Amino acid sequence: MCHVIVTCRSMLWTLLSIVVAFGELIAFMSTDWLVGFPRTPDAVFGPHGATAAGEAYRPTLGIYGRCLKLPHLRRGVLCGPYAVHFGEIASGFWQAASIFLAAGILLLCAVAFISVFTMCFQSIMKKSIFNVCGLLQAIAGLFLILGLMLYPAGWGSDKVQLYCGQDAAPYQAGLCTMGWAFYTAMGGTVLTFICAVFSAQAEIATSSDKVQEEIEEGKSLICLL
């Protein structure tokens, strides 16, 4: 008989797992990892900024995408991937970072999908599904950390120097500032480890004595605060 078990801690863990997965996915796809120095569409790129006068804007550069304002476009900023193939990503460090980040996000998305069904299934192959998911989240967190550590090592590439000036170097952003996507990825990594730890609390909550008592009473829907 299938028992639907809902507790405050298990629902909180499920919601956090979904939020973290979507947050990391959106950050990875965003172009707002680096925000370049102010310039105009027809500016001459120099190590200390744009030399032409006019309405300035700040281009953004992601791991595989960018946003630029082109002179012949009236609709404003053009955003899209600069790398059509994996080998066209700006730096070998960014290629490695994208692999680790993608692996971590894939695990987080898998856990987010599984977490929806933990209300009905609390074990898999006699193993607690919460513990298994917590382990996967911890592994995903390690992948994310490796990706975020490798990412600044690619700031010395020619692509980054076009946006950040000639002073850009590994772990030195030059004239660029960090965009919201980088901070979102960092915050998501911290929340990933919090979710991994909190999965143990979700397991305790769904296997408590109160839950067992209601199962013995024949209830199929169990909701505990």
Side-chain angles (χ1 to χ4, degrees):
M1 181 179 179
C2 177
H3 299 282
V4 178
I5 303 175
V6 179
T7 69
C8 182
R9 282 177 283 181
S10 64
M11 282 300 298
L12 181 59
W13 173 79
T14 298
L15 291 175
L16 280 176
S17 298
I18 295 173
V19 168
V20 167
F22 275 99
E24 289 286 351
L25 180 61
I26 292 172
F28 180 74
M29 296 173 63
S30 173
T31 61
D32 288 280
W33 284 72
L34 282 174
V35 180
F37 55 79
R39 65 190 72 181
T40 57
D42 56 345
V44 177
F45 300 142
H48 302 294
T51 59
E55 183 180 354
Y57 81 104
R58 302 191 71 178
T60 58
L61 179 66
I63 295 176
Y64 64 89
R66 84 288 180 265
C67 284
L68 289 172
K69 181 178 286 186
L70 302 178
H72 62 278
L73 287 180
R74 295 182 179 179
R75 61 181 181 178
V77 178
L78 175 66
C79 295
Y82 70 82
V84 179
H85 305 289
F86 181 77
E88 296 178 353
I89 293 177
S91 166
F93 289 108
W94 281 18
Q95 293 175 4
S98 64
I99 291 175
F100 285 116
L101 291 173
I105 292 169
L106 182 62
L107 288 177
L108 290 179
C109 289
V111 171
F113 178 78
I114 294 172
S115 67
V116 178
F117 299 96
T118 55
M119 293 183 292
C120 297
F121 305 99
Q122 288 77 45
S123 63
I124 178 172
M125 298 178 64
K126 297 182 179 181
K127 299 289 185 180
S128 168
I129 197 168
F130 294 102
N131 292 339
V132 172
C133 287
L135 177 61
L136 291 177
Q137 286 175 325
I139 295 173
L142 293 176
F143 282 145
L144 294 176
I145 287 177
L146 288 173
L148 291 175
M149 290 177 63
L150 287 170
Y151 170 71
W155 289 349
S157 66
D158 295 337
K159 188 74 173 179
V160 174
Q161 289 182 350
L162 286 175
Y163 288 76
C164 304
Q166 297 300 315
D167 293 334
Y171 298 97
Q172 295 181 8
L175 299 175
C176 284
T177 58
M178 307 310 302
W180 65 265
F182 179 78
Y183 294 112
T184 300
M186 289 185 62
T189 302
V190 174
L191 283 177
T192 296
F193 286 104
I194 292 176
C195 285
V197 174
F198 199 68
S199 64
Q201 292 298 316
E203 158 65 16
I204 293 172
T206 55
S207 60
S208 64
D209 292 338
K210 290 183 179 180
V211 172
Q212 297 303 319
E213 289 174 3
E214 298 208 14
I215 291 176
E216 293 173 359
E217 291 174 4
K219 295 181 180 180
S220 58
L221 176 58
I222 303 169
C223 184
L224 298 174
L225 296 178

